[in-house]
Amino acid sequence: MMQVGRIARHLVVFSPTPDDLGRLIEAARVDLPDLAPLATVQRVISANPDSVVAIAQRHRFDAAAPRGEGFIACLMLNADGLAALKAGTFDAAEPRAALLAAQHERPAAIYVWAVYARRRLAGGVSLFFDRLSSPLYQGVDFYARGATREGAGLLTALGFRPGCAASGRLYHFARAPLPDASPPYDTHRPGMSGVSVAVARSFEDLARVISLRAAVYMAEQACPYEEEFDGNDLSATHLIGYAGDEPAGCLRIRFFADFAKIERLAVRAEFRNTRMAFALVRAGIELARIKGYRRLYGHAQKRLVGFWSRFGFRVFEGAQELVFSDFDYVEMLMEAEAHPQAIGIGVDPYVIIRPEGRWHKAGVLDRSRGRAVTRPSFDGRVPAR
């Protein structure tokens, strides 16, 4: 059996450039003539940049000029997409947008769309699967079809099992379910490993945020103290990103009448080769959406416009450029889909009084629900206040 894990240590996976993607798609058509058109692949990537990664051998990889030797593409399916896949009516050559999960929506299934990874590059598949282990994707089952004998062998080596299809041989890989249904902004638990995120709820948490931003913005970017700590920190929600139990990054969100502003993303230098920044931004977007916000706004450093574009932010028509703390910025906007569990008037009122970011769990005041009304200390007189 192929030693996929061992081989993967000698490979890297990364997001391909547009030119490199076109070259890889054309090269793959020799072995995969039914591959979807390049325009279709670009449409899928635009909807969800996590869908396609390039693979290269580590000793050949140059970060300054990345060039893929193979690629892996997946489709993030919603419940209707999974049903169509199992019924044999899913058109993988031109997947309908209505069957695909939105960028920040937890998919019902991940369909391995295409794998172009000859010989040693095949180990990159396991790296890609590891990359899809964030809270958004963790526990979501994989499905695939073995288009070639070599492809079927790779799927078997990875642990896929055949046998659930109305049309063609559909392979299935059952992943372990999430230990709980924690949203991406409430994944940290003491003692855990890996990347996680939590809402700042205490003065100690706020001290962590201050330390992180001082290390990044004041120490690295020479931002003056009074400009970094601008008087808005006590009127905002803060997210803290952890690497294990170590505070590694933070993000601030401020809420206005019809939009939320995502800002002050900071990741310590030693953790910038992790998915920390991605986890924080996705958590911030999800938290804003469940609070009912669909317009997310930000000021992006112009050198980082590409990064923010990966989440659906865009430089909108009429966007202004601005300079503060000696860096150049531009306005960006994201139009998000409505969250299906958005909190609003009419939901269980106990949900609304739960701690910030813990709306999915019963809070301390939920315990009052079953107690009798006694009105302690009230003797019938009008209170002084």
Side-chain angles (χ1 to χ4, degrees), residues 52 82 86 91 133 241 265 318 339 369:
V52 179
L82 176 57
K86 290 183 175 181
D91 183 4
S133 60
L265 172 64
H339 196 291
R369 192 189 295 254

Side-chain angles (χ1 to χ4, degrees), residues 129-153:
F129 288 178
D130 286 344
R131 192 169 177 173
L132 296 179
S133 60
S134 67
L136 186 65
Y137 299 119
Q138 188 179 354
V140 178
D141 287 1
F142 288 105
Y143 293 83
R145 285 195 176 93
T148 63
R149 180 178 297 180
E150 183 181 14

Side-chain angles (χ1 to χ4, degrees), residues 8 11 16 26 33 38 84 89 106-107 130 149 153 159 190 212 267 278 284 304 350 358 368:
L11 305 172
E26 289 309 306
L38 176 59
T89 61
R106 181 173 169 81
D130 286 344
R149 180 178 297 180
L212 288 163
V267 176
F278 292 88
L304 297 175
Y350 284 91
R358 285 272 170 85
S368 303

Side-chain angles (χ1 to χ4, degrees), residues 297-312:
Y297 169 82
H299 299 155
Q301 288 190 17
K302 293 179 72 173
R303 65 189 179 92
L304 297 175
V305 164
F307 169 81
W308 289 100
S309 297
R310 299 183 67 173
F311 303 95

Side-chain angles (χ1 to χ4, degrees), residues 6 24 87 102 106 108 113 129 136 162 190 206 229 244 274 306 310 318 320 350 368 374:
R6 180 177 59 82
L24 287 168
R106 181 173 169 81
W113 197 17
F129 288 178
L136 186 65
L206 192 57
F229 300 102
T274 70
R310 299 183 67 173
Q320 300 181 65
Y350 284 91
S368 303
T374 60

